[in-house]
Amino acid sequence: QLISRLRTTFQVELPLRGLFTASTVARVTELVEEQLLVRSDGPRVPSLRRVSRDGALPLSFSQQRLWVLDQLQPGATPYVLLGAVRLEGTLDAEALRRALELLVERHEALRTTFALKGAEPVQLIQPTPAWTLPVTDLGALPPEDHEAAVHRLALEEAGRPFDLSTGPLLRSRLMRFADAAHVLLLSMHHIVSDGWSVGVMVREVAAAYAAFSTGKPHGLPSLPVQYADFASWQRGWLQGDVLAKQVAWWKDQL
C-alpha cells in the first residue's frame, strides 16, 4: 500500500526491498528524493488512467501467474480466498443481498472471467448478474456447536473450485443461527481479489447495507479506475528498456 501511494503521489517506483531496509519515515523520504533526483535519467512512471473497454483487456502479471497455475492444475483450490463476517442483531437479508450486488456492479474485477485469445489470456468483464444469497439455516443447532458449524461450512466452501473461464469468481452464503445471529461467508479466487481488497469490500458492503436497510441511496463515490486499468497500465509501463532491466537483473541473480 505504501509503494502504491508513493507511486501515485510522486510518480516514482520504489523497490519492495527498499522498504525493508528503510525502517523509518525519514529514510523512506530519502529514497523518494533519490528517485526524484535521478528520474530525469530514465522513463517517468506513467499516470494510471481509464482505458477503453472495447477489445481484449490484458491480465496483470500477477493475474497471468495465477491463470497459468490454474491451467496446470484445473480445479485446484490453493488460491481460494475465504472470509467470514459475524453479524449480530436483526438482519435485513434483502438489503444485504442488494449490498453484495452493488459491490459486484461497482468492481469489475468481481465479474471478470478469463479466456484465451490466440496465444494470450485476456480478461472479459461480464454484465452485473442478479446476485443470489443462499441461506443455510442452522437454528436447530445448540449454541456450543455454532463455531464448529461455521468452520465446517467454511472448509467445504474453500474446497469448491472456481472456473476462471465461466465465473462467477465471488460466492456468498449466509448462515443463520437465530434471528439476531448470522455469519456471512465470502469466497473468491485470488485472481480477482487479495487481502487488501477484503477491507474495501467489507467497508462498502457495510455502508451499502446501512443505506439499503433504511431505504436510503448508498452514497458510495464512483470509481475513476478499475483493476483492468491497472493491468493495462502495468503492461504499458513494464516493457522495452524498463522490462529489459528487470529481466537482466533477475538473470544475473539466478
Side-chain angles (χ1 to χ4, degrees), residues 9-87:
T9 305
F10 299 106
Q11 290 78 52
V12 298
E13 192 72 21
L14 293 188
L16 180 61
R17 183 179 180 180
L19 294 187
F20 287 97
T21 58
S23 57
T24 66
V25 174
R27 181 60 187 137
V28 171
T29 302
E30 291 174 0
L31 291 180
V32 171
E33 289 175 340
E34 291 169 7
Q35 290 288 321
L36 291 173
L37 287 172
V38 302
R39 190 168 62 186
S40 58
D41 298 331
R44 183 185 177 95
V45 178
S47 299
L48 176 58
R49 295 186 176 90
R50 188 172 180 85
V51 299
S52 172
R53 295 303 188 262
D54 297 330
L57 293 167
L59 278 61
S60 69
F61 289 113
S62 58
Q63 282 182 319
Q64 185 169 358
R65 180 171 64 250
L66 290 164
W67 181 86
V68 169
L69 290 170
D70 185 75
Q71 304 308 298
L72 295 173
Q73 290 183 298
T77 57
Y79 296 102
V80 174
L81 302 181
L82 200 68
V85 182
R86 192 180 304 279
L87 307 172

Side-chain angles (χ1 to χ4, degrees), residues 39-201:
R39 190 168 62 186
S40 58
D41 298 331
R44 183 185 177 95
V45 178
S47 299
L48 176 58
R49 295 186 176 90
R50 188 172 180 85
V51 299
S52 172
R53 295 303 188 262
D54 297 330
L57 293 167
L59 278 61
S60 69
F61 289 113
S62 58
Q63 282 182 319
Q64 185 169 358
R65 180 171 64 250
L66 290 164
W67 181 86
V68 169
L69 290 170
D70 185 75
Q71 304 308 298
L72 295 173
Q73 290 183 298
T77 57
Y79 296 102
V80 174
L81 302 181
L82 200 68
V85 182
R86 192 180 304 279
L87 307 172
E88 298 178 350
T90 304
L91 180 71
D92 184 338
E94 173 59 16
L96 180 58
R97 185 203 67 77
R98 288 180 60 198
L100 290 166
E101 187 172 78
L102 176 66
L103 180 77
V104 175
E105 178 184 354
R106 282 172 53 78
H107 296 277
E108 292 175 347
L110 298 178
R111 47 188 169 90
T112 295
T113 58
F114 300 86
L116 266 180
K117 184 174 183 179
E120 295 293 329
V122 295
Q123 51 180 311
L124 306 172
I125 300 170
Q126 306 297 334
T128 305
W131 198 253
T132 59
L133 181 60
V135 179
T136 302
D137 195 332
L138 301 170
L141 292 177
E144 60 269 20
D145 292 339
H146 289 182
E147 208 66 31
V150 172
H151 284 284
R152 176 176 56 81
L153 291 172
L155 286 173
E156 288 180 5
E157 187 62 37
R160 291 176 57 198
F162 286 98
D163 187 334
L164 302 188
S165 64
T166 60
L169 301 182
L170 167 70
R171 294 191 293 254
S172 61
R173 179 192 291 193
L174 185 64
M175 290 175 270
R176 178 190 177 279
F177 295 97
D179 289 341
H182 297 79
V183 171
L184 175 64
L185 196 64
L186 296 172
S187 61
M188 65 206 92
H189 196 284
H190 191 22
I191 200 169
V192 298
S193 188
D194 58 13
W196 188 359
S197 305
V198 172
V200 176
M201 294 170 65

Side-chain angles (χ1 to χ4, degrees), residues 217-238:
H218 60 79
L220 292 170
S222 60
L223 301 174
V225 293
Q226 298 274 345
Y227 191 79
D229 302 306
F230 167 79
S232 295
W233 170 88
Q234 186 185 59
R235 291 286 179 173
W237 164 238
L238 286 175

